[in-house]
Each structure stands twice: as structure tokens, then as C-alpha cells.
Amino acid sequence: MEIQAIRDTVATTPEAIPEPAFDRQIKMIRPPANAPSIVELPESFYKLTPNEMKSLYKSHVDRRENLENRPLKTSKIRNAEELERMKRFPKTTIRVRFPDSTMLQANFKSSEKGDA
């Protein structure tokens, strides 16, 4: 009688119940045959002007000051915000673009940890 009760308890514990499979919806997206070829940009395109550099520096300084001056949050508040984000965004779509412009797309749960 005791053994049957233990088996029933083990069978109903959350660890014993498998989680339903998550549909990754994996897609391979190929560029159309009539798609234009990849455009090569001149090196000058990547050079920043002095005004662009000033703007980037100012935005960096403003962001840093904003982060330094904001109020600290308790772990309870951070956990509540994290749960709210998980409810709002239950899945994440990741796309990988290969050199030949082919893309691989898959869905993941937002709570999944990434293993590289």
C-alpha cells in the first residue's frame, strides 16, 4: 500500500509531467531568383563626419548619465518586471542570415537560456 502511494506521488509531481513540445516553426527563407545582388558600399560610407561623432558621443554620455541617476530597484520589483516582459513576449523569433542571403528562422520561448 505504501509503495503505491509513493508511485502516485512521484507520478503527479511537476518534474514527472513532461512539458508540452514547443513548436519552433523552423523556416528556411531563400532570396527570390530575381533579387538584386548585394550592393558593395564604398569605404567612405563607413567614415563618420565630425557632427555624427559628436552626436554619437553626446547620446552615449546622456545614456550613461541616465543610467547612473535612475533610482535603484529591489529584486522583487525587478522580478515583477521580468514576469511582465515574459507575459508580453512569450516567444522570440531568431533569424540567421548566411552569406548567400539565405535566412534560417526559428521561434524560441523567451524564458529559454541560449547555449552557444
Side-chain angles (χ1 to χ4, degrees), residues 1 6 23 33 49 73 78-79 81 103 105:
M1 190 73 172
I6 293 171
D23 184 17
T49 65
K73 296 179 182 178
R78 286 192 307 268
N79 290 341
E81 288 175 350
M103 286 191 293
Q105 175 179 307

Side-chain angles (χ1 to χ4, degrees), residues 10 14 26 28 35 38 50 57 62 65-66 71 75-76 81 84 89 92 97 99 103-104 111 116:
V10 169
I26 297 173
M28 180 73 81
I38 298 173
Y57 179 74
D62 291 345
E65 287 175 355
N66 187 18
S75 61
K76 187 176 180 181
E81 288 175 350
E84 183 63 32
F89 304 109
T92 302
R97 184 185 305 250
M103 286 191 293
L104 179 64
S111 58

Side-chain angles (χ1 to χ4, degrees), residues 13-39:
T13 57
E15 297 84 32
I17 300 171
E19 192 173 319
F22 182 73
D23 184 17
R24 298 253 185 249
Q25 299 176 348
I26 297 173
K27 295 178 185 173
M28 180 73 81
I29 304 167
R30 298 182 190 270
N34 60 353
S37 62
I38 298 173
V39 177

Side-chain angles (χ1 to χ4, degrees), residues 20-77:
F22 182 73
D23 184 17
R24 298 253 185 249
Q25 299 176 348
I26 297 173
K27 295 178 185 173
M28 180 73 81
I29 304 167
R30 298 182 190 270
N34 60 353
S37 62
I38 298 173
V39 177
E40 292 292 325
L41 297 171
E43 198 64 33
S44 63
F45 177 81
Y46 299 102
K47 295 196 186 316
L48 297 176
T49 65
N51 287 337
E52 290 173 328
M53 291 175 67
K54 287 177 187 175
S55 174
L56 286 172
Y57 179 74
K58 184 177 179 341
S59 67
H60 176 73
V61 169
D62 291 345
R63 184 173 184 275
R64 191 191 78 229
E65 287 175 355
N66 187 18
L67 289 173
E68 289 175 354
N69 296 329
R70 72 179 181 191
L72 298 176
K73 296 179 182 178
T74 63
S75 61
K76 187 176 180 181
I77 293 173

